[in-house]
Amino acid sequence: MTIKNSNKGRIRRQFIILISFLVLLLIIFYLLFSYGAFESDYEDIEDKEKIDPLAADYETYYLDNSPENKQIKYGFELFTNTAKYLGPSNGKEEMIYSGNNLACNNCHLNAGTKPYSGMLIGVIKRFPQFRGRENKIGTIEDRINGCMERSMNGKELPPNGKEMKAFVAYMNWLSRHAPEDGKVEGMGYARIEIPDRAVDLEKGEKLFLKKCASCHGQDGQGIPLKYNPGYLYPPLWGEDTYNNGAGMTRVITAAEFIKTNMPYGASFNDPELTDEESYDLAGYINQKERPVKSNPEFDFPDLKKKPVSTPYPPYADPFPVSQHQLGPFQPIMDYYQKEYGITKIK
């Protein structure tokens, strides 16, 4: 056998081996795909039927830069750094919509994902909804603008503007694992047993100094950020906080928030304050001066729908403003039950 023929035979054998290997590889891949070996775990993770909304990943950092995800990420930025983009010191006069330097995140904790802190997971699926303050069915955009005017002491965002669309996109994303009715454990605030007495302002002050002043300051003015507008811990009264039209100025609402969220680190399952302590703290904080919303008398066209601890008149009952601000609230609730057949819980 010549060297030339030997080389040809070797090349032929190598070629046959290569072809056989490729055929075997194709068979292996076919079998693997047929039996689902390459099915992505990501599909299971993102299957909203299988995931607990409270256990989902709400970290926007890992989203790619598709147009949809950029809008979600901008909504997250607006939510957590509201003053930077919309506050009075943002450097763009045409973009000043907030009248204070708070962030949405100051009330809706953990970027809107903490249970019983006005959590936003599922919230968008509960809209449109009826709201007694306006006495009509409102959209999620209406609700956002209500916060802008009250909690942020500012003015409405354009309903179809870039910022409003980003807020809505972020809320939609937060609600992606929520059931169709949007009802998720931890929504709203946890109920407290309302003491059958007036707020004790002296006890509230002592509790504030002991439990709250280390973060919010003895003067209640919070701790501002060093290099950006906004606060590490927000002010609770004074000119740079929520106005008297905000839901947090109601003693019962504020007490519910405080009970499961304050001091920092407290939660529904691990509260630090009792119902009575939360009640006295809420009353103390909300007796302090703060901005006044324009035309609060136009709230609640049907006065019977007004929460009993709304701190400003008019009311559909004979009780004085001081009692609506500080309680006791049970006599007011009893009045609405007797006169109007309405059961009030807040």
Side-chain angles (χ1 to χ4, degrees), residues 2-254:
T2 66
I3 293 175
K4 185 175 181 181
N5 287 337
S6 175
N7 287 339
K8 283 184 177 180
R10 187 168 63 253
I11 292 171
R12 189 181 295 112
R13 285 194 299 274
Q14 289 174 343
F15 181 74
I16 292 170
I17 291 170
L18 178 62
I19 293 298
S20 300
F21 175 75
L22 291 173
V23 170
L24 180 62
L25 194 62
L26 288 171
I27 292 171
I28 291 171
F29 269 93
Y30 172 76
L31 292 173
L32 287 172
F33 276 110
S34 295
Y35 289 98
F38 283 99
E39 286 184 4
S40 170
D41 288 338
Y42 184 76
E43 292 300 322
D44 290 334
I45 291 172
E46 289 300 309
D47 185 347
K48 66 182 180 181
E49 297 298 325
K50 297 181 180 179
I51 196 164
D52 177 357
L54 298 184
D57 184 0
Y58 296 106
E59 176 55 73
T60 59
Y61 176 82
Y62 298 107
L63 296 176
D64 64 30
N65 284 322
S66 68
E68 295 81 5
N69 286 342
K70 286 175 77 173
Q71 192 175 50
I72 292 167
K73 289 195 277 189
Y74 184 43
F76 170 80
E77 277 293 311
L78 290 171
F79 195 88
T80 54
N81 296 295
T82 316
K84 177 180 176 181
Y85 297 94
L86 303 175
S89 304
N90 73 49
K92 299 177 182 178
E93 189 173 347
E94 72 280 7
M95 287 299 294
I96 297 175
Y97 288 95
S98 177
N100 59 38
N101 286 291
L102 300 185
C104 305
N105 190 54
N106 291 143
C107 288
H108 307 275
L109 305 181
N110 295 358
T113 65
K114 186 182 180 188
Y116 300 108
S117 71
M119 183 179 70
L120 298 179
I121 296 171
V123 70
I124 204 162
K125 294 186 177 184
R126 302 197 294 272
F127 280 83
Q129 67 175 221
F130 177 83
R131 291 189 55 78
R133 189 155 56 194
E134 293 80 25
N135 203 38
K136 66 177 184 179
I137 300 291
T139 64
I140 189 65
E141 290 85 357
D142 293 330
R143 184 69 185 91
I144 292 168
N145 272 333
C147 281
M148 290 302 302
E149 289 186 297
R150 299 165 188 276
S151 297
M152 310 308 290
N153 192 37
K155 62 183 182 180
E156 292 185 353
L157 291 166
N160 294 311
K162 177 183 176 182
E163 284 65 38
M164 179 64 81
K165 288 181 177 179
F167 272 125
V168 172
Y170 178 60
M171 291 185 189
N172 263 315
W173 183 74
L174 287 181
S175 300
R176 68 194 187 278
H177 299 301
E180 288 307 309
D181 62 5
K183 293 182 179 178
V184 179
E185 183 183 356
M187 63 185 187
Y189 304 116
R191 299 291 180 208
I192 65 164
E193 185 174 338
I194 303 167
D196 192 12
R197 61 170 175 81
V199 165
D200 188 322
L201 292 176
E202 186 176 337
K203 285 184 179 178
E205 181 178 20
K206 289 178 180 177
L207 281 164
F208 182 84
L209 294 174
K210 181 179 179 181
K211 299 286 188 178
C212 312
S214 60
C215 290
H216 297 286
Q218 292 190 5
D219 59 357
Q221 299 310 292
I223 299 176
L225 297 172
K226 257 189 176 180
Y227 303 110
N228 287 306
Y231 291 91
L232 178 62
Y233 300 108
L236 301 179
W237 61 79
E239 289 303 309
D240 205 33
T241 192
Y242 54 92
N243 66 39
N244 71 329
M248 205 59 76
T249 57
R250 303 174 199 152
V251 166
I252 296 172
T253 299

Side-chain angles (χ1 to χ4, degrees), residues 270-289:
D270 190 21
E272 188 171 325
L273 299 168
T274 67
D275 291 355
E276 293 215 358
E277 288 173 331
S278 302
Y279 179 76
D280 290 330
L281 262 172
Y284 171 74
I285 290 166
N286 280 324
Q287 278 296 293
K288 298 294 187 176
E289 290 189 7

